[in-house]
Each structure stands twice: as structure tokens, then as C-alpha cells.
Amino acid sequence: MRVELVYCPAPHACERIELELAEGATLADALRASGLAERHGLAAEALDAGIWGRVQPPQTVLRDGDRVELYRPLTVDPKEARRQRYRGGR
């Protein structure tokens, strides 16, 4: 089974890895196989991950062709960022 794993460590930077996994592999298996957590110094259990834009638990079984996405924690609340842009635009 083939899946794609995507992680954006910084704005405008994207790392994409295609993985070949056994049938019945889970989201956690894909993360381990990719080595992204170790390469970027991330705590694998603290990461939010999803499939096709929807957050899923680590034990979710993957299907052939799935796109697994790892999400960075927000640095600024989106509402606060909008307020700051509005104030700066006056």
C-alpha cells in the first residue's frame, strides 16, 4: 500500500515523503516509517496528524493512496493575527 506523508516545518517549506507500507498499517506506523519526528526533533506522541485534512487518532488504519499530514502547533491564535493585521492596516 502506498501513502504520502506531508509535513511543513516552516512557512513556505514542505517535506513530502512517499511510503510503501503493509496492508493494515496505521497513522502511527506511517509516522514511524517516515522518520520525520526524529529528523525534526519532534515528540511523535505530541503531534497532531490527519488524513486528507481531517485530524485522526494514531490508531487509524490507512488505505492505499491516503495523504497523511502532520500539523505544526499554532504560534498565534488566528483571530488575534487577524486583529493585528487590521490594526496595522489603518
Side-chain angles (χ1 to χ4, degrees):
M1 156 175 74
R2 287 188 153 177
V3 297
E4 177 183 43
L5 193 131
V6 179
Y7 176 63
C8 297
H12 309 293
C14 187
E15 192 167 338
R16 186 177 150 265
I17 300 171
E18 288 197 22
L19 299 170
E20 185 76 34
L21 301 171
E23 289 294 323
T26 64
L27 198 61
D29 296 334
L31 180 57
R32 266 192 300 280
S34 72
L36 276 174
E38 295 81 23
R39 194 165 38 253
H40 291 282
L42 305 168
E45 59 280 346
L47 289 173
D48 283 332
I51 301 171
W52 293 109
R54 294 179 184 250
V55 177
Q56 300 289 332
Q59 64 271 19
T60 302
V61 176
L62 299 172
R63 294 183 297 191
D64 188 43
D66 275 348
R67 176 186 166 109
V68 176
E69 301 160 347
L70 299 180
Y71 306 117
R72 288 183 284 136
L74 294 175
T75 55
V76 177
D77 177 42
K79 289 181 182 178
E80 184 57 33
R82 236 182 339 270
R83 284 186 200 107
Q84 289 173 4
R85 283 193 306 270
Y86 175 77
R87 283 189 217 124
R90 286 185 176 191

